């Protein structure tokens, strides 16, 4: 179950990143979160990130380096300014509403 979910998620992420590469640039970090991060981090594939006040530098490092099932994203996929923006948004976000 977990593996299948992750495979589906990784497939769609590859497609999304490819699409992102084709477009000139991300609009902002919010778009990256909604189109990339959210597919794992609000789908029980990766841990919930919102509302945890994770440090901005930590978020940026994890996105660049990856960590096991967390894919690494290159600057060609998410540029520095957009990564800084998504990290700031995630760090300062409110917790997700409870289901
Ligand atoms: C393909 C699924 C996937 C995508 C897409 C993804 N992540 Fe992750 N992420 C994970 C998984 C799985 C982990 C847990 C890794 C581990 O600890 O083994 C993780 C861990 C993290 C952590 C560490 C969380 C903690 O509790 O310490 C951060 C920060 C993070 N991801 C940020 C992001 C951001 C920002 C994005 C969007 C740019 C993103 N991730 C996209 C799967 C994903």
């Amino acid at each position: 179950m977990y593996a299948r979910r992750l495979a589906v998620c990784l497939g769609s992420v590859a497609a999304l990143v490819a699409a992102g590469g084709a477009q000139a640039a991300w609009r902002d970090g919010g778009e990256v979160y909604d189109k990339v991060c959210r597919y794992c981090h609000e789908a029980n594939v990766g841990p919930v990130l919102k509302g945890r006040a994770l440090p901005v530098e930590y978020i940026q490092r994890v996105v660049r380096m990856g960590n096991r099932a967390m894919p690494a994203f290159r600057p060609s996929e998410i540029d520095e300014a957009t990564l800084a923006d998504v990290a700031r948004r995630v760090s300062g976000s409110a917790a997700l509403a409870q289901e």
Side-chain angles (χ1 to χ4, degrees), residues 9-10 13 32 36-37 40-41 45-47 49 52 54 58-59 62-63 67-71 73 78:
C9 187
L10 283 172
V13 167
V32 170
V36 182
C37 321
C40 290
H41 287 284
V45 176
L49 302 174
R52 293 174 53 203
L54 292 170
Y58 172 71
I59 296 168
V62 172
V63 171
N67 181 23
R68 294 186 287 183
M70 166 72 202
F73 294 89
I78 302 174

Side-chain angles (χ1 to χ4, degrees), residues 19 37 79 81 93:
C37 321
D79 60 274
S93 61

Side-chain angles (χ1 to χ4, degrees), residues 3 12 16 29 31 33 41 47 59 65 75 78-79 83-84 86 91 93:
S12 56
L16 284 165
E31 185 184 20
Y33 185 84
H41 287 284
I59 296 168
M65 307 296 285
I78 302 174
D79 60 274
L83 175 56
V86 73
S91 179
S93 61

